[in-house]
Amino acid sequence: MSQVFEGYERQYCELSANLTKKCNSATILDGEQKKQKVSEIKAGLDDAEALIRKMDLEARSLPPNVKATLLAKLREYKSDLNNLKTEVKRITSGNANQAARDELLESGMADANMVSADQRQRLMMSTDRLNRSSDRIRDSRKTMLETEDLGVSILQDLHQQRQSLLHAHDTLHGVDDNISRSKKILTTMSRRMSRNKWIIGTIIVVLVLAILLVLYFKLAH
């Protein structure tokens, strides 16, 4: 999750809790004190709106899987801000008589505290759920990256093995060529030896016949 978004988120939660307390205290004030408190609340609402806009811009600049999670969380904060604005309008438009205001004071404060506490509880639960979802997304991305690294390593090993096999094939091909050349040389030598044997045999026969003829002529005379 974006650290920038988390910083804005912490600021907003603190500001929202502070504005809720000021709204509760403003309901029991009168005159200038009430006006001053309402002015403080409105200034805080402006700051809260600015934080909402910053969170929205930051969330939309992130990758889609993270953006969807943060925008869902942002909708909760916008709902909380609208509730605060409604509460301020109720405080500023309260020009009813003092008796009605006193009558509604205790129930109004109790309801406001209950709504605020319930809203904060829902926001905390939503934040926890979104944080768990973000953790699962982060773990899934980590697993995906590890799997990708493993796949790259396997492909590199396979490439090296392929290169080794190609080298071995080339070596065997060279050995086969050498064997073929050696076989041709041996065949040529064998043919020459056979031819030389015939030549030598022929010479021997001719010599024997010549010797016999010489002996015949000598013995005949």
Side-chain angles (χ1 to χ4, degrees):
M1 184 179 295
S2 170
Q3 293 182 354
V4 176
F5 186 93
E6 289 179 351
Y8 293 149
E9 183 180 26
R10 283 193 298 270
Q11 294 179 42
Y12 177 81
C13 290
E14 292 173 359
L15 183 59
S16 175
N18 188 30
L19 289 174
T20 300
K21 291 179 182 178
K22 289 183 178 181
C23 287
N24 292 336
S25 62
T27 56
I28 59 176
L29 297 176
D30 290 319
E32 291 298 324
Q33 291 182 340
K34 183 174 182 179
K35 289 181 180 180
Q36 182 178 359
K37 185 65 68 174
V38 170
S39 297
E40 293 176 2
I41 294 171
K42 288 182 177 180
L45 289 175
D46 291 338
D47 293 339
E49 274 193 297
L51 288 172
I52 289 289
R53 288 194 295 271
K54 290 179 180 179
M55 284 191 284
D56 186 70
L57 290 174
E58 177 64 20
R60 295 182 186 280
S61 67
L62 297 173
N65 56 342
V66 180
K67 179 172 71 176
T69 302
L70 296 184
L71 288 178
K73 183 184 292 187
L74 191 60
R75 283 193 291 270
E76 292 285 342
Y77 295 144
K78 288 180 179 179
S79 175
D80 177 65
L81 181 61
N82 289 331
N83 290 337
L84 289 172
K85 289 180 179 179
T86 301
E87 181 67 15
V88 172
K89 288 180 180 179
R90 188 185 66 80
I91 293 171
T92 54
S93 63
N95 294 322
N97 56 55
Q98 185 66 36
R101 197 168 62 190
D102 291 340
E103 182 180 353
L104 295 174
L105 179 61
E106 291 186 2
S107 61
M109 289 182 63
D111 291 342
N113 287 329
M114 183 177 298
V115 169
S116 177
D118 183 62
Q119 183 71 21
R120 282 198 297 272
Q121 182 66 25
R122 287 200 303 272
L123 287 173
M124 291 176 63
M125 292 175 63
S126 298
T127 300
D128 289 338
R129 286 196 301 269
L130 292 172
N131 286 334
R132 287 195 296 270
S133 298
S134 298
D135 291 338
R136 286 195 297 270
I137 292 172
R138 186 163 50 248
D139 292 339
S140 299
R141 186 172 182 271
K142 181 180 178 182
T143 302
M144 181 185 68
L145 291 175
E146 290 175 351
T147 304
E148 183 179 354
D149 291 339
L150 179 60
V152 170
S153 177
I154 291 173
L155 287 175
Q156 290 176 347
D157 291 339
L158 290 174
H159 178 71
Q160 291 177 355
Q161 292 176 7
R162 181 177 180 273
Q163 292 297 114
S164 298
L165 289 173
L166 289 174
H167 179 69
H169 179 268
D170 292 339
T171 302
L172 290 174
H173 184 69
V175 171
D176 186 57
D177 290 341
N178 290 332
I179 291 174
S180 297
R181 286 196 295 269
S182 299
K183 184 179 179 181
K184 290 179 180 178
I185 292 170
L186 290 173
T187 302
T188 303
M189 291 175 64
S190 177
R191 289 175 179 173
R192 287 179 179 176
M193 289 176 66
S194 297
R195 187 174 59 193
N196 291 336
K197 286 179 181 180
W198 282 104
I199 293 172
I200 292 171
T202 303
I203 293 171
I204 291 172
V205 171
V206 171
L207 290 174
V208 170
L209 291 175
I211 292 170
L212 290 175
L213 286 173
V214 171
L215 290 175
Y216 173 76
F217 286 112
K218 284 185 177 183
L219 292 173
H221 295 285

